[in-house]
Amino acid sequence: MEQADQQRLDRHFMARALALTRRGLGRSSPNPAVGALVVAEGRIVGRGWHVKKGQPHAEPLALAQAGAAARGATLYVTLEPCNHQGATPPCTQAILRAGVARVVYGAGDPNPTVAGGGGAFLAGRGLAVEAGVLAEQCAFEHRFFLTHITKGRPHVILKTAATLDGKTATASGDSRWITGPASRRFVHRLRGWCDCVCVGVGTALVDDPQLTCRLPGGRDPLRVIVDSRLRIDHRAKVFDPAAGGGCLVACGPLARPADMERLRAVGAEVLRLSPAAGGGLDLAELLDHLGRRGVIGMLLEGGATLAWGFLSQGLVDEVMYFFAPKLLGGATAAPMLGGAGVAAMAQAIELGAPRLRRFNPDVLLWASLAAPVDHAR
């Protein structure tokens, strides 16, 4: 086969493998939601994705489905196969046992115990190994895992719904609903993909949100409330014991022990944070705590002050701004971002090239931060 034809085939099948990754999002953490295909003579004979932590990875599942057809076939996998013993055996061993002739993977695994190991190990055993096929797309799909491995904390998505004049609520505080049903359904899907959803106490007091994933078969995330003085009511909906995922309240050094015990009595976890150098709470401490417990994706939903706190401390990885074709006006209507802001345009937090997506009638602007900068230090 001509090299150009092989490259086209590799991209085609890797794209098919990428489509499988989303089936495991939010359920495989802290492991990546990998997708894998086994292809023999141009035909897919095995499919797999990482369904849940502790269960087999995508590669062994795809190889098991392929059975004898895997011998001499090509394995396409969105992330470099693991070559270490964890909760499950190394995927490289399953690949060798299956008799695969060629392995094509997308993103490399930066884990210090894995980096370069899987691909190099297989190549050293005589397999043809092709790395970096649709690498950028694969890295994007695995961004929660990659951020967690390289930074030790969750990947943070700042999500905001606003009118075209940048308001998230009217001057009276009314915010339901800015965006339409299609946008709100997608946000519930995001909650199911992320391990936790986080809001500030202002949002919790005004909206009394459930912060659950209200889609059929959806998974409720851990609910995180940042409340420096523990003003939240212990009867708030986020403490509903019927919801899954649990609830964590992050407070500051001035929070009273009696208030901490009041929340613990309704099943909440309370975490005391240190002050940040530039004011507010040290949100990196919160993310470090979540990272240690295996949380790899956070959906930050508001409000404006907390959003600026995460941005100014260099802790946001991407933004999702849902804009509705509405105008509110009013100097006192709620803005998208609060806090002190920056003093000069040269200090502006820059974003990468945005992706645009329609959720009729709304528009989603979706972008990664170009270079996160800690403006609080």
Side-chain angles (χ1 to χ4, degrees):
M1 181 183 296
E2 294 289 338
Q3 184 178 8
D5 293 335
Q6 184 64 66
Q7 290 174 344
R8 280 193 293 271
L9 273 179
D10 287 347
R11 289 193 295 269
H12 167 77
F13 286 119
M14 187 61 74
R16 299 284 295 273
L18 273 169
L20 297 174
T21 63
R22 300 178 191 102
R23 302 190 185 189
L25 274 176
R27 301 180 187 275
S28 62
S29 300
N31 298 324
V34 175
L37 292 177
V38 181
V39 176
E41 298 180 350
R43 184 171 61 91
I44 297 173
V45 295
R47 295 177 175 84
W49 61 92
H50 192 16
V51 177
K52 190 176 180 181
K53 176 188 175 183
Q55 295 187 11
H57 291 183
E59 299 97 315
L61 290 172
L63 293 166
Q65 188 180 96
R71 187 160 297 279
T74 297
L75 172 69
Y76 292 89
V77 59
T78 55
L79 187 70
E80 182 179 6
C82 66
N83 190 37
H84 68 291
Q85 177 70 47
T88 58
C91 290
T92 51
Q93 296 299 325
I95 293 168
L96 290 177
R97 286 194 302 271
V100 167
R102 184 169 178 258
V103 173
V104 180
Y105 67 86
D109 190 338
N111 190 325
T113 64
V114 178
F121 176 85
L122 293 171
R125 298 310 185 275
L127 278 71
V129 176
E130 184 74 28
V133 174
L134 298 188
E136 184 176 345
Q137 295 94 316
C138 290
F140 178 79
E141 291 297 335
H142 296 309
R143 63 199 187 281
F144 292 4
F145 171 75
L146 297 175
T147 297
H148 184 247
I149 286 295
T150 57
K151 299 182 180 180
R153 64 165 176 82
H155 185 93
V156 177
I157 300 175
L158 169 59
K159 189 275 307 180
T160 303
T163 58
L164 288 183
D165 56 342
K167 309 298 184 183
T168 61
T170 65
S172 67
D174 183 19
S175 62
R176 296 187 178 178
W177 296 100
I178 291 176
T179 54
S183 295
R184 298 200 299 274
R185 278 195 301 272
F186 184 71
V187 170
H188 281 283
R189 189 181 304 171
L190 285 172
R191 289 180 180 177
W193 286 346
C194 293
D195 298 313
C196 77
V197 58
C198 180
V199 300
V201 65
T203 298
L205 291 174
V206 172
D207 295 342
D208 193 18
Q210 293 174 284
L211 302 181
T212 53
C213 174
R214 295 188 290 279
L215 294 177
R219 182 205 63 154
D220 289 334
L222 170 69
R223 279 103 56 209
V224 178
I225 312 297
V226 179
D227 181 2
S228 60
R229 293 178 179 268
L230 296 184
R231 294 187 290 143
I232 192 169
D233 194 311
H234 67 282
R235 295 163 295 187
K237 292 177 182 176
V238 291
F239 302 124
D240 182 356
C247 187
L248 182 152
V249 182
C251 65
L254 298 181
R256 300 185 305 175
D259 291 328
M260 297 173 74
E261 291 307 314
R262 170 176 55 87
L263 296 183
R264 288 178 177 134
V266 295
E269 177 185 352
V270 182
L271 175 68
R272 194 188 291 273
L273 302 178
S274 304
L281 298 179
D282 189 340
L283 299 169
E285 280 189 3
L286 171 61
L287 293 186
D288 289 344
H289 170 84
L290 293 171
R292 286 192 297 271
R293 61 192 284 174
V295 173
I296 68 172
M298 170 189 277
L299 184 63
L300 177 61
E301 292 204 28
T305 301
L306 184 64
W308 179 253
F310 272 88
L311 280 166
S312 65
Q313 293 182 37
L315 300 173
V316 174
D317 299 290
E318 60 184 287
V319 299
M320 288 186 170
Y321 286 142
F322 291 84
F323 288 103
K326 300 175 182 178
L327 302 172
L328 293 182
T332 58
M336 296 168 64
L337 290 174
V342 299
M345 188 60 69
Q347 296 175 295
I349 297 172
E350 296 189 10
L351 305 178
R355 304 168 181 227
L356 296 177
R357 182 170 173 181
R358 288 291 301 272
F359 290 93
N360 197 35
D362 309 320
V363 175
L364 167 62
L365 186 152
W366 187 353
S368 298
L369 266 71
V373 175
D374 188 341
H375 288 273
R377 295 179 181 174

